[in-house]
Each structure stands twice: as C-alpha cells, then as structure tokens.
Amino acid sequence: MMNEDIERVLYSHDDLVQACHKVGKQISQDYEGKTPILIGLLNGCIPFFAELIKHIEIPMQTEFMQVKSYFGGTESSGKVKIISNINFPIEGRDVIVCDDILDTGRTLVQIKNMLLAQGANSVKICCMLNKVDAHKDLNLTIDYVALEVENQFVVGFGLDYNELYRNLPYVGILKEEIYKK
Ligand code: IMP
Ligand code: MG
C-alpha cells in the first residue's frame, strides 16, 4: 500500500481542507465585485484546485494549462514548455494561477509574465505549499499560500514522485528507501 512508503504525514486531509478554506475566503474578499479566472497547472494542481474552489464564494471561472519546466544544466534561467494552453481570452481579466508547490519559482515567474503579455489585467499566484527557503533569489510575489514546508521532498494531494502518490489524501515525506530503490 502507498501509505507504507510514507515516513511522516506533514499535513492531514483536514489540515489541507482548513487551509483551502482560509485561502478561499481571502480570495472571495480580495476579488469581491470581480469575476477572476483561476488557471490550474496540471497535473499537480488537481486535488488542491478542486478543494480550493469549493471555498470561493464569488463568481469565478476555471481554466487549465499543462506545462513542463526545462532547465539547461545548472543555469538558473529555466524555460517553460506549454504542453496544453488555455483556450480562452484573458485580455483585461483578473487571473489567479494555481499550482501545487512553489520550489524555485521559475515555472510561475514565466507563466505570470506570459499571461501579463497576453493582456491580463492582473495575475496573482496561489500555491498549496511554499518551500520557505527555496526561491529567495527570485523576484516573485506569492499572493496566496495554503501551507509552508521546509526544504524537503513531499508527496500527496497532487504532488508526485515519478508520477506516483498524487492520489494520497494528505501531504507526507517519502521514506528514503523509495528514492534509493
Ligand atoms: P519550480 O517552482 O519552478 O522549481 O517548480 C515547481 C514544480 O516542481 C512543482 O510544480 C512540482 O511539480 C515540482 N516539485 C518541487 N518540489 C517538489 C516536492 O517536494 N515534491 C513534489 N514535486 C515537487
Ligand atoms: Mg508539477
């Protein structure tokens, strides 16, 4: 069973639902009178996105993008490849980009710039988890964060290791022996 591969649960399903409630309430207040478009980044956003939107009480729309990040060697300038794009005009619209975790932040910096170049009125960033020390060098404002993690590799609630563990209903740390297999 997948549970046996987990060293420690960091955030239970209840913790995650509560955190989504807090973020959803904040978004509802901040965007009162507007109709934001929430763009989820596939595949990692799915459980977080699905939970979050249940706690947003204002009119909103959903769109999805699938992206892959390609980094050349050890260079810090990453390139984002869009596998599947939104099929919707965002000119003049208020956009909130939702992702599973903010690590280096390179993916989200590029997507934010891309959406602003397409004429979005505003682009905010919303992440389920924020790796607190991982992206200090980047000039990126994270507008909404559900929960914080240390600089460690976590799985579950959308987060994968080799495309597995996304379906765990909590966020946890993988046992070392799994990486070393
Ligand atoms: P970055 O912020 O551009 O470095 O990329 C963030 C992406 O890296 C996330 O969307 C995840 O796909 C992946 N990622 C980063 N840290 C973790 C982790 O701890 N567990 C699983 N995936 C991670
Ligand atoms: Mg991902």
Side-chain angles (χ1 to χ4, degrees):
M1 298 299 277
M2 281 188 306
N3 280 333
E4 292 161 10
D5 297 347
I6 303 301
E7 182 73 50
R8 187 157 62 90
V9 175
L10 276 183
Y11 294 116
S12 69
H13 187 262
D14 276 359
D15 294 338
L16 291 157
V17 172
Q18 258 180 50
C20 285
H21 180 72
K22 220 175 80 188
V23 174
K25 241 177 121 173
Q26 191 62 52
I27 290 175
S28 307
Q29 281 170 19
D30 294 352
Y31 288 83
E32 208 186 329
K34 297 177 179 166
T35 305
I37 304 180
L38 266 75
I39 300 180
L41 302 188
L42 298 170
N43 303 326
C45 77
I46 291 174
F48 170 59
F49 193 93
E51 186 58 46
L52 175 66
I53 64 172
K54 291 190 271 182
H55 303 277
I56 296 178
E57 295 167 328
I58 54 164
M60 54 155 287
Q61 289 170 283
T62 59
E63 286 290 325
F64 297 94
M65 279 172 95
Q66 190 169 21
V67 298
K68 291 259 187 282
S69 310
Y70 288 103
F71 308 122
T74 54
E75 284 300 306
S76 62
S77 65
K79 281 217 163 63
V80 174
K81 187 177 178 192
I82 298 182
I83 308 293
S84 136
N85 208 335
I86 48 169
N87 193 16
F88 195 82
I90 56 159
E91 211 180 317
R93 299 296 302 273
D94 297 296
V95 173
I96 305 173
V97 182
C98 297
D99 203 2
D100 48 11
I101 191 164
L102 193 78
D103 187 3
T104 68
R106 288 174 198 141
T107 312
L108 283 170
V109 163
Q110 295 205 22
I111 293 197
K112 182 172 178 174
N113 291 337
M114 217 181 302
L115 295 169
L116 285 170
Q118 283 172 33
N121 179 53
S122 70
V123 180
K124 287 195 180 183
I125 301 297
C126 175
C127 278
M128 173 172 75
L129 300 176
N130 179 31
K131 279 197 179 171
V132 279
D133 294 322
H135 49 84
K136 279 185 177 151
D137 51 327
L138 274 187
N139 191 15
L140 178 71
T141 311
I142 320 155
D143 305 282
Y144 304 102
V145 173
L147 294 160
E148 310 273 357
V149 289
E150 305 284 307
N151 224 337
Q152 56 207 356
F153 196 79
V154 289
V155 294
F157 218 72
L159 289 157
D160 72 300
Y161 170 64
N162 285 348
E163 293 302 323
L164 294 174
Y165 305 102
R166 292 194 199 274
N167 54 321
L168 285 174
Y170 54 81
V171 169
I173 300 173
L174 261 191
K175 283 184 180 163
E176 217 178 82
E177 66 206 56
I178 306 294
Y179 298 95
K180 290 183 174 171
K181 255 184 203 168

Short mmCIF file of all heavy atoms in Angstrom, two decimals, residues 85-149:
data_model
loop_
_atom_site.label_atom_id
_atom_site.label_comp_id
_atom_site.label_asym_id
_atom_site.label_seq_id
_atom_site.Cartn_x
_atom_site.Cartn_y
_atom_site.Cartn_z
N ASN A 85 -2.42 24.64 -23.65
CA ASN A 85 -2.65 26.03 -23.21
C ASN A 85 -4.14 26.27 -22.92
O ASN A 85 -4.99 25.45 -23.26
CB ASN A 85 -2.18 26.99 -24.30
CG ASN A 85 -1.74 28.33 -23.74
OD1 ASN A 85 -2.18 28.74 -22.67
ND2 ASN A 85 -0.90 29.02 -24.47
N ILE A 86 -4.42 27.39 -22.28
CA ILE A 86 -5.82 27.77 -22.09
C ILE A 86 -6.39 28.15 -23.46
O ILE A 86 -5.66 28.61 -24.34
CB ILE A 86 -5.97 28.96 -21.12
CG1 ILE A 86 -4.99 30.08 -21.47
CG2 ILE A 86 -5.80 28.52 -19.69
CD1 ILE A 86 -5.25 31.37 -20.75
N ASN A 87 -7.66 27.95 -23.60
CA ASN A 87 -8.31 28.24 -24.87
C ASN A 87 -9.38 29.29 -24.62
O ASN A 87 -10.56 29.07 -24.87
CB ASN A 87 -8.91 26.94 -25.44
CG ASN A 87 -9.32 27.10 -26.88
OD1 ASN A 87 -8.90 28.05 -27.55
ND2 ASN A 87 -10.14 26.19 -27.36
N PHE A 88 -8.94 30.42 -24.09
CA PHE A 88 -9.89 31.39 -23.59
C PHE A 88 -9.21 32.76 -23.55
O PHE A 88 -8.06 32.86 -23.13
CB PHE A 88 -10.29 30.98 -22.16
CG PHE A 88 -11.51 31.67 -21.65
CD1 PHE A 88 -12.77 31.21 -21.98
CD2 PHE A 88 -11.39 32.79 -20.83
CE1 PHE A 88 -13.90 31.84 -21.51
CE2 PHE A 88 -12.52 33.42 -20.36
CZ PHE A 88 -13.78 32.95 -20.70
N PRO A 89 -9.88 33.83 -24.01
CA PRO A 89 -9.24 35.15 -23.98
C PRO A 89 -9.13 35.70 -22.56
O PRO A 89 -10.12 35.72 -21.83
CB PRO A 89 -10.18 36.01 -24.84
CG PRO A 89 -11.50 35.34 -24.78
CD PRO A 89 -11.24 33.87 -24.57
N ILE A 90 -7.93 36.13 -22.17
CA ILE A 90 -7.76 36.62 -20.81
C ILE A 90 -7.48 38.12 -20.79
O ILE A 90 -7.19 38.70 -19.74
CB ILE A 90 -6.63 35.88 -20.06
CG1 ILE A 90 -5.32 35.98 -20.85
CG2 ILE A 90 -7.01 34.44 -19.81
CD1 ILE A 90 -4.12 35.74 -19.96
N GLU A 91 -7.57 38.76 -21.96
CA GLU A 91 -7.30 40.19 -22.04
C GLU A 91 -8.24 40.96 -21.09
O GLU A 91 -9.45 40.77 -21.11
CB GLU A 91 -7.51 40.67 -23.48
CG GLU A 91 -6.59 41.83 -23.82
CD GLU A 91 -6.80 42.30 -25.25
OE1 GLU A 91 -6.92 41.45 -26.14
OE2 GLU A 91 -6.84 43.53 -25.43
N GLY A 92 -7.63 41.79 -20.27
CA GLY A 92 -8.41 42.60 -19.34
C GLY A 92 -8.95 41.86 -18.13
O GLY A 92 -9.63 42.45 -17.29
N ARG A 93 -8.64 40.57 -18.03
CA ARG A 93 -9.21 39.76 -16.94
C ARG A 93 -8.25 39.64 -15.75
O ARG A 93 -7.05 39.82 -15.89
CB ARG A 93 -9.53 38.34 -17.46
CG ARG A 93 -10.56 38.31 -18.59
CD ARG A 93 -11.92 38.81 -18.14
NE ARG A 93 -12.45 38.04 -17.03
CZ ARG A 93 -13.15 36.93 -17.15
NH1 ARG A 93 -13.47 36.45 -18.34
NH2 ARG A 93 -13.59 36.29 -16.08
N ASP A 94 -8.83 39.34 -14.60
CA ASP A 94 -8.04 39.10 -13.40
C ASP A 94 -7.81 37.60 -13.25
O ASP A 94 -8.77 36.84 -13.15
CB ASP A 94 -8.76 39.67 -12.18
CG ASP A 94 -8.92 41.18 -12.30
OD1 ASP A 94 -7.89 41.87 -12.32
OD2 ASP A 94 -10.07 41.65 -12.41
N VAL A 95 -6.54 37.24 -13.26
CA VAL A 95 -6.17 35.83 -13.31
C VAL A 95 -5.47 35.42 -12.01
O VAL A 95 -4.68 36.17 -11.45
CB VAL A 95 -5.22 35.58 -14.51
CG1 VAL A 95 -4.68 34.16 -14.50
CG2 VAL A 95 -5.92 35.88 -15.83
N ILE A 96 -5.80 34.23 -11.54
CA ILE A 96 -5.08 33.63 -10.40
C ILE A 96 -4.54 32.28 -10.87
O ILE A 96 -5.31 31.41 -11.29
CB ILE A 96 -6.01 33.42 -9.18
CG1 ILE A 96 -6.71 34.74 -8.79
CG2 ILE A 96 -5.22 32.87 -8.00
CD1 ILE A 96 -7.78 34.58 -7.71
N VAL A 97 -3.22 32.15 -10.84
CA VAL A 97 -2.59 30.89 -11.27
C VAL A 97 -2.39 30.00 -10.05
O VAL A 97 -1.81 30.42 -9.05
CB VAL A 97 -1.23 31.15 -11.95
CG1 VAL A 97 -0.63 29.83 -12.44
CG2 VAL A 97 -1.38 32.12 -13.11
N CYS A 98 -2.90 28.76 -10.14
CA CYS A 98 -2.84 27.83 -9.00
C CYS A 98 -1.91 26.66 -9.29
O CYS A 98 -2.07 25.98 -10.30
CB CYS A 98 -4.21 27.25 -8.70
SG CYS A 98 -5.39 28.50 -8.20
N ASP A 99 -0.97 26.44 -8.38
CA ASP A 99 -0.05 25.31 -8.54
C ASP A 99 0.07 24.55 -7.23
O ASP A 99 -0.36 25.03 -6.18
CB ASP A 99 1.32 25.81 -9.02
CG ASP A 99 2.11 24.72 -9.73
OD1 ASP A 99 1.61 23.60 -9.89
OD2 ASP A 99 3.26 25.00 -10.12
N ASP A 100 0.68 23.36 -7.33
CA ASP A 100 0.82 22.52 -6.13
C ASP A 100 1.84 23.09 -5.15
O ASP A 100 1.58 23.22 -3.97
CB ASP A 100 1.17 21.07 -6.51
CG ASP A 100 2.30 20.97 -7.54
OD1 ASP A 100 2.97 21.98 -7.82
OD2 ASP A 100 2.51 19.85 -8.07
N ILE A 101 3.05 23.41 -5.68
CA ILE A 101 4.13 23.79 -4.76
C ILE A 101 5.05 24.80 -5.43
O ILE A 101 5.29 24.73 -6.64
CB ILE A 101 4.92 22.54 -4.30
CG1 ILE A 101 5.88 22.87 -3.15
CG2 ILE A 101 5.65 21.86 -5.43
CD1 ILE A 101 6.39 21.64 -2.41
N LEU A 102 5.51 25.76 -4.67
CA LEU A 102 6.46 26.74 -5.18
C LEU A 102 7.84 26.35 -4.67
O LEU A 102 8.11 26.42 -3.47
CB LEU A 102 6.11 28.14 -4.69
CG LEU A 102 6.87 29.24 -5.41
CD1 LEU A 102 6.27 29.52 -6.78
CD2 LEU A 102 6.92 30.51 -4.61
N ASP A 103 8.69 25.90 -5.60
CA ASP A 103 10.03 25.47 -5.23
C ASP A 103 11.01 26.56 -5.65
O ASP A 103 11.21 27.53 -4.93
CB ASP A 103 10.31 24.12 -5.89
CG ASP A 103 11.62 23.51 -5.44
OD1 ASP A 103 12.29 24.10 -4.58
OD2 ASP A 103 11.99 22.43 -5.94
N THR A 104 11.61 26.45 -6.84
CA THR A 104 12.49 27.54 -7.30
C THR A 104 11.66 28.74 -7.74
O THR A 104 12.15 29.87 -7.76
CB THR A 104 13.35 27.10 -8.50
OG1 THR A 104 12.51 26.89 -9.63
CG2 THR A 104 14.14 25.86 -8.18
N GLY A 105 10.41 28.51 -8.15
CA GLY A 105 9.54 29.59 -8.60
C GLY A 105 9.70 29.92 -10.08
O GLY A 105 8.98 30.76 -10.60
N ARG A 106 10.61 29.24 -10.75
CA ARG A 106 10.88 29.58 -12.16
C ARG A 106 9.67 29.36 -13.05
O ARG A 106 9.39 30.14 -13.93
CB ARG A 106 12.04 28.74 -12.69
CG ARG A 106 13.37 29.14 -12.11
CD ARG A 106 14.42 28.15 -12.57
NE ARG A 106 15.60 28.23 -11.75
CZ ARG A 106 16.31 27.17 -11.38
NH1 ARG A 106 15.92 25.96 -11.75
NH2 ARG A 106 17.38 27.31 -10.65
N THR A 107 8.97 28.27 -12.81
CA THR A 107 7.79 27.96 -13.61
C THR A 107 6.78 29.11 -13.51
O THR A 107 6.32 29.62 -14.53
CB THR A 107 7.12 26.66 -13.09
OG1 THR A 107 8.11 25.66 -12.92
CG2 THR A 107 6.05 26.18 -14.04
N LEU A 108 6.50 29.51 -12.28
CA LEU A 108 5.44 30.51 -12.09
C LEU A 108 5.84 31.90 -12.55
O LEU A 108 5.01 32.66 -13.04
CB LEU A 108 4.99 30.51 -10.63
CG LEU A 108 4.08 29.33 -10.30
CD1 LEU A 108 3.83 29.21 -8.82
CD2 LEU A 108 2.75 29.48 -11.04
N VAL A 109 7.12 32.25 -12.44
CA VAL A 109 7.59 33.55 -12.93
C VAL A 109 7.31 33.66 -14.42
O VAL A 109 6.77 34.65 -14.91
CB VAL A 109 9.11 33.75 -12.66
CG1 VAL A 109 9.66 34.88 -13.51
CG2 VAL A 109 9.35 34.05 -11.19
N GLN A 110 7.64 32.60 -15.16
CA GLN A 110 7.46 32.64 -16.61
C GLN A 110 6.00 32.63 -17.01
O GLN A 110 5.60 33.32 -17.94
CB GLN A 110 8.18 31.45 -17.24
CG GLN A 110 9.68 31.57 -17.02
CD GLN A 110 10.50 30.84 -18.05
OE1 GLN A 110 10.02 30.55 -19.14
NE2 GLN A 110 11.71 30.52 -17.69
N ILE A 111 5.20 31.85 -16.32
CA ILE A 111 3.77 31.81 -16.65
C ILE A 111 3.12 33.15 -16.35
O ILE A 111 2.31 33.66 -17.14
CB ILE A 111 3.09 30.65 -15.90
CG1 ILE A 111 3.66 29.37 -16.48
CG2 ILE A 111 1.57 30.73 -16.03
CD1 ILE A 111 2.94 28.16 -16.22
N LYS A 112 3.51 33.74 -15.23
CA LYS A 112 2.96 35.05 -14.88
C LYS A 112 3.29 36.08 -15.96
O LYS A 112 2.40 36.81 -16.42
CB LYS A 112 3.51 35.49 -13.52
CG LYS A 112 2.96 36.82 -13.05
CD LYS A 112 3.37 37.14 -11.63
CE LYS A 112 2.80 38.51 -11.24
NZ LYS A 112 3.03 38.82 -9.82
N ASN A 113 4.54 36.11 -16.39
CA ASN A 113 4.95 37.06 -17.43
C ASN A 113 4.22 36.80 -18.75
O ASN A 113 3.81 37.73 -19.45
CB ASN A 113 6.46 37.01 -17.64
CG ASN A 113 7.20 37.56 -16.44
OD1 ASN A 113 6.63 38.35 -15.67
ND2 ASN A 113 8.44 37.15 -16.25
N MET A 114 4.05 35.53 -19.06
CA MET A 114 3.34 35.14 -20.28
C MET A 114 1.90 35.66 -20.27
O MET A 114 1.41 36.22 -21.25
CB MET A 114 3.33 33.61 -20.33
CG MET A 114 3.47 32.99 -21.69
SD MET A 114 3.40 31.19 -21.58
CE MET A 114 4.69 30.73 -20.48
N LEU A 115 1.22 35.49 -19.14
CA LEU A 115 -0.18 35.89 -19.04
C LEU A 115 -0.32 37.41 -19.04
O LEU A 115 -1.26 37.96 -19.62
CB LEU A 115 -0.81 35.29 -17.78
CG LEU A 115 -0.92 33.75 -17.79
CD1 LEU A 115 -1.30 33.23 -16.41
CD2 LEU A 115 -1.92 33.28 -18.83
N LEU A 116 0.64 38.10 -18.42
CA LEU A 116 0.61 39.57 -18.45
C LEU A 116 0.83 40.06 -19.88
O LEU A 116 0.18 41.01 -20.33
CB LEU A 116 1.67 40.14 -17.51
CG LEU A 116 1.33 40.05 -16.01
CD1 LEU A 116 2.54 40.41 -15.15
CD2 LEU A 116 0.13 40.95 -15.66
N ALA A 117 1.72 39.38 -20.61
CA ALA A 117 1.98 39.75 -22.01
C ALA A 117 0.75 39.54 -22.88
O ALA A 117 0.57 40.21 -23.90
CB ALA A 117 3.17 38.96 -22.55
N GLN A 118 -0.11 38.59 -22.47
CA GLN A 118 -1.36 38.35 -23.22
C GLN A 118 -2.44 39.35 -22.84
O GLN A 118 -3.58 39.25 -23.32
CB GLN A 118 -1.87 36.93 -22.93
CG GLN A 118 -1.10 35.84 -23.67
CD GLN A 118 -1.52 34.44 -23.21
OE1 GLN A 118 -2.68 34.21 -22.85
NE2 GLN A 118 -0.59 33.51 -23.22
N GLY A 119 -2.11 40.29 -21.97
CA GLY A 119 -3.04 41.38 -21.68
C GLY A 119 -3.93 41.20 -20.47
O GLY A 119 -4.92 41.93 -20.31
N ALA A 120 -3.59 40.24 -19.59
CA ALA A 120 -4.38 40.10 -18.36
C ALA A 120 -4.31 41.39 -17.57
O ALA A 120 -3.28 42.06 -17.55
CB ALA A 120 -3.84 38.94 -17.53
N ASN A 121 -5.40 41.76 -16.92
CA ASN A 121 -5.42 42.96 -16.09
C ASN A 121 -4.54 42.78 -14.85
O ASN A 121 -3.82 43.69 -14.44
CB ASN A 121 -6.86 43.29 -15.68
CG ASN A 121 -6.93 44.52 -14.82
OD1 ASN A 121 -6.42 45.57 -15.19
ND2 ASN A 121 -7.53 44.38 -13.65
N SER A 122 -4.62 41.58 -14.26
CA SER A 122 -3.77 41.27 -13.11
C SER A 122 -3.52 39.77 -13.08
O SER A 122 -4.34 38.99 -13.57
CB SER A 122 -4.46 41.71 -11.80
OG SER A 122 -5.58 40.88 -11.54
N VAL A 123 -2.37 39.38 -12.54
CA VAL A 123 -2.04 37.96 -12.40
C VAL A 123 -1.51 37.72 -11.00
O VAL A 123 -0.49 38.30 -10.61
CB VAL A 123 -0.99 37.49 -13.43
CG1 VAL A 123 -0.68 36.00 -13.23
CG2 VAL A 123 -1.46 37.73 -14.86
N LYS A 124 -2.22 36.92 -10.24
CA LYS A 124 -1.74 36.56 -8.90
C LYS A 124 -1.40 35.08 -8.85
O LYS A 124 -1.89 34.28 -9.65
CB LYS A 124 -2.79 36.93 -7.85
CG LYS A 124 -2.87 38.43 -7.60
CD LYS A 124 -3.63 38.73 -6.34
CE LYS A 124 -3.71 40.24 -6.11
NZ LYS A 124 -4.40 40.53 -4.84
N ILE A 125 -0.57 34.75 -7.87
CA ILE A 125 -0.05 33.39 -7.72
C ILE A 125 -0.63 32.76 -6.46
O ILE A 125 -0.63 33.38 -5.40
CB ILE A 125 1.50 33.45 -7.57
CG1 ILE A 125 2.15 34.10 -8.79
CG2 ILE A 125 2.08 32.07 -7.29
CD1 ILE A 125 1.95 33.37 -10.08
N CYS A 126 -1.12 31.52 -6.61
CA CYS A 126 -1.71 30.82 -5.48
C CYS A 126 -1.13 29.40 -5.43
O CYS A 126 -1.26 28.65 -6.39
CB CYS A 126 -3.23 30.77 -5.68
SG CYS A 126 -4.09 29.80 -4.44
N CYS A 127 -0.50 29.06 -4.31
CA CYS A 127 0.12 27.74 -4.19
C CYS A 127 -0.39 27.00 -2.97
O CYS A 127 -0.62 27.61 -1.92
CB CYS A 127 1.63 27.87 -4.06
SG CYS A 127 2.42 28.08 -5.64
N MET A 128 -0.51 25.69 -3.11
CA MET A 128 -0.87 24.88 -1.95
C MET A 128 0.26 24.92 -0.93
O MET A 128 0.02 25.13 0.25
CB MET A 128 -1.14 23.43 -2.38
CG MET A 128 -1.35 22.48 -1.22
SD MET A 128 -1.88 20.84 -1.72
CE MET A 128 -0.38 20.12 -2.38
N LEU A 129 1.49 24.71 -1.40
CA LEU A 129 2.64 24.69 -0.50
C LEU A 129 3.72 25.65 -0.96
O LEU A 129 3.92 25.84 -2.15
CB LEU A 129 3.23 23.28 -0.41
CG LEU A 129 2.32 22.15 0.08
CD1 LEU A 129 3.06 20.82 -0.01
CD2 LEU A 129 1.87 22.40 1.51
N ASN A 130 4.42 26.22 0.00
CA ASN A 130 5.54 27.10 -0.30
C ASN A 130 6.78 26.55 0.40
O ASN A 130 6.77 26.34 1.60
CB ASN A 130 5.22 28.50 0.23
CG ASN A 130 6.34 29.47 0.00
OD1 ASN A 130 7.09 29.35 -0.97
ND2 ASN A 130 6.48 30.43 0.88
N LYS A 131 7.82 26.26 -0.39
CA LYS A 131 9.09 25.84 0.21
C LYS A 131 9.81 27.09 0.67
O LYS A 131 10.31 27.87 -0.14
CB LYS A 131 9.94 25.07 -0.80
CG LYS A 131 9.53 23.65 -0.93
CD LYS A 131 10.58 22.79 -1.60
CE LYS A 131 10.07 21.36 -1.68
NZ LYS A 131 10.93 20.50 -2.48
N VAL A 132 9.85 27.30 1.97
CA VAL A 132 10.17 28.62 2.51
C VAL A 132 11.51 29.20 2.08
O VAL A 132 11.61 30.38 1.82
CB VAL A 132 10.02 28.67 4.05
CG1 VAL A 132 8.56 28.85 4.41
CG2 VAL A 132 10.58 27.42 4.71
N ASP A 133 12.54 28.37 1.98
CA ASP A 133 13.86 28.94 1.68
C ASP A 133 14.31 28.75 0.23
O ASP A 133 15.43 29.07 -0.12
CB ASP A 133 14.92 28.30 2.60
CG ASP A 133 14.66 28.69 4.04
OD1 ASP A 133 14.26 29.85 4.27
OD2 ASP A 133 14.84 27.84 4.92
N ALA A 134 13.41 28.23 -0.61
CA ALA A 134 13.87 27.74 -1.91
C ALA A 134 13.95 28.80 -3.01
O ALA A 134 14.59 28.57 -4.01
CB ALA A 134 13.00 26.58 -2.36
N HIS A 135 13.33 29.93 -2.87
CA HIS A 135 13.25 30.83 -4.02
C HIS A 135 13.54 32.27 -3.64
O HIS A 135 12.96 33.21 -4.18
CB HIS A 135 11.86 30.73 -4.68
CG HIS A 135 10.75 30.84 -3.69
ND1 HIS A 135 10.27 32.04 -3.25
CD2 HIS A 135 10.06 29.89 -3.02
CE1 HIS A 135 9.32 31.81 -2.36
NE2 HIS A 135 9.19 30.52 -2.20
N LYS A 136 14.46 32.44 -2.72
CA LYS A 136 14.76 33.78 -2.22
C LYS A 136 15.35 34.68 -3.29
O LYS A 136 15.22 35.90 -3.22
CB LYS A 136 15.73 33.67 -1.05
CG LYS A 136 15.04 33.32 0.24
CD LYS A 136 16.02 33.33 1.39
CE LYS A 136 15.31 33.06 2.70
NZ LYS A 136 16.18 32.42 3.67
N ASP A 137 16.05 34.08 -4.26
CA ASP A 137 16.74 34.88 -5.28
C ASP A 137 15.79 35.42 -6.34
O ASP A 137 16.13 36.32 -7.09
CB ASP A 137 17.85 34.04 -5.94
CG ASP A 137 17.32 32.68 -6.42
OD1 ASP A 137 16.40 32.14 -5.78
OD2 ASP A 137 17.83 32.20 -7.44
N LEU A 138 14.56 34.86 -6.41
CA LEU A 138 13.63 35.29 -7.46
C LEU A 138 12.75 36.44 -7.01
O LEU A 138 12.32 36.49 -5.86
CB LEU A 138 12.73 34.12 -7.87
CG LEU A 138 13.26 33.17 -8.94
CD1 LEU A 138 12.16 32.22 -9.31
CD2 LEU A 138 13.78 33.90 -10.15
N ASN A 139 12.48 37.31 -7.95
CA ASN A 139 11.62 38.44 -7.65
C ASN A 139 10.16 38.06 -7.94
O ASN A 139 9.58 38.48 -8.93
CB ASN A 139 12.06 39.63 -8.52
CG ASN A 139 11.39 40.90 -8.06
OD1 ASN A 139 10.83 40.95 -6.96
ND2 ASN A 139 11.42 41.92 -8.90
N LEU A 140 9.59 37.24 -7.08
CA LEU A 140 8.23 36.75 -7.30
C LEU A 140 7.41 36.92 -6.03
O LEU A 140 7.80 36.49 -4.96
CB LEU A 140 8.26 35.26 -7.69
CG LEU A 140 6.90 34.60 -7.91
CD1 LEU A 140 6.23 35.09 -9.17
CD2 LEU A 140 7.04 33.08 -7.96
N THR A 141 6.28 37.57 -6.18
CA THR A 141 5.37 37.70 -5.04
C THR A 141 4.40 36.54 -5.05
O THR A 141 3.74 36.30 -6.06
CB THR A 141 4.57 39.02 -5.16
OG1 THR A 141 5.49 40.06 -5.43
CG2 THR A 141 3.81 39.31 -3.89
N ILE A 142 4.34 35.81 -3.95
CA ILE A 142 3.34 34.74 -3.82
C ILE A 142 2.17 35.36 -3.09
O ILE A 142 2.30 35.77 -1.94
CB ILE A 142 3.85 33.56 -3.00
CG1 ILE A 142 5.31 33.28 -3.34
CG2 ILE A 142 2.98 32.33 -3.22
CD1 ILE A 142 6.02 32.58 -2.22
N ASP A 143 1.06 35.43 -3.78
CA ASP A 143 -0.07 36.16 -3.20
C ASP A 143 -0.86 35.32 -2.21
O ASP A 143 -1.33 35.81 -1.20
CB ASP A 143 -0.97 36.65 -4.34
CG ASP A 143 -0.16 37.48 -5.33
OD1 ASP A 143 0.10 38.65 -5.04
OD2 ASP A 143 0.24 36.94 -6.39
N TYR A 144 -1.01 34.03 -2.53
CA TYR A 144 -1.77 33.14 -1.65
C TYR A 144 -1.03 31.83 -1.45
O TYR A 144 -0.65 31.17 -2.42
CB TYR A 144 -3.15 32.84 -2.26
CG TYR A 144 -3.96 34.08 -2.55
CD1 TYR A 144 -4.06 34.57 -3.85
CD2 TYR A 144 -4.60 34.77 -1.52
CE1 TYR A 144 -4.80 35.73 -4.12
CE2 TYR A 144 -5.33 35.92 -1.79
CZ TYR A 144 -5.42 36.39 -3.09
OH TYR A 144 -6.15 37.53 -3.35
N VAL A 145 -0.82 31.47 -0.20
CA VAL A 145 -0.17 30.19 0.14
C VAL A 145 -1.03 29.49 1.18
O VAL A 145 -1.42 30.09 2.18
CB VAL A 145 1.23 30.43 0.73
CG1 VAL A 145 1.82 29.12 1.23
CG2 VAL A 145 2.15 31.07 -0.28
N ALA A 146 -1.34 28.22 0.92
CA ALA A 146 -2.13 27.48 1.91
C ALA A 146 -1.26 27.09 3.10
O ALA A 146 -1.60 27.37 4.24
CB ALA A 146 -2.78 26.26 1.26
N LEU A 147 -0.12 26.45 2.84
CA LEU A 147 0.73 25.95 3.92
C LEU A 147 2.20 26.02 3.53
O LEU A 147 2.54 26.03 2.35
CB LEU A 147 0.34 24.50 4.26
CG LEU A 147 -1.06 24.31 4.85
CD1 LEU A 147 -1.51 22.86 4.69
CD2 LEU A 147 -1.11 24.72 6.32
N GLU A 148 3.07 26.04 4.53
CA GLU A 148 4.51 26.12 4.29
C GLU A 148 5.17 24.76 4.52
O GLU A 148 4.71 23.98 5.35
CB GLU A 148 5.16 27.11 5.28
CG GLU A 148 4.49 28.46 5.36
CD GLU A 148 5.00 29.45 4.33
OE1 GLU A 148 5.93 29.08 3.57
OE2 GLU A 148 4.48 30.57 4.28
N VAL A 149 6.24 24.49 3.78
CA VAL A 149 7.07 23.31 4.07
C VAL A 149 8.55 23.71 4.10
O VAL A 149 8.93 24.73 3.53
CB VAL A 149 6.90 22.15 3.04
CG1 VAL A 149 5.56 21.49 3.19
CG2 VAL A 149 7.11 22.63 1.61
#
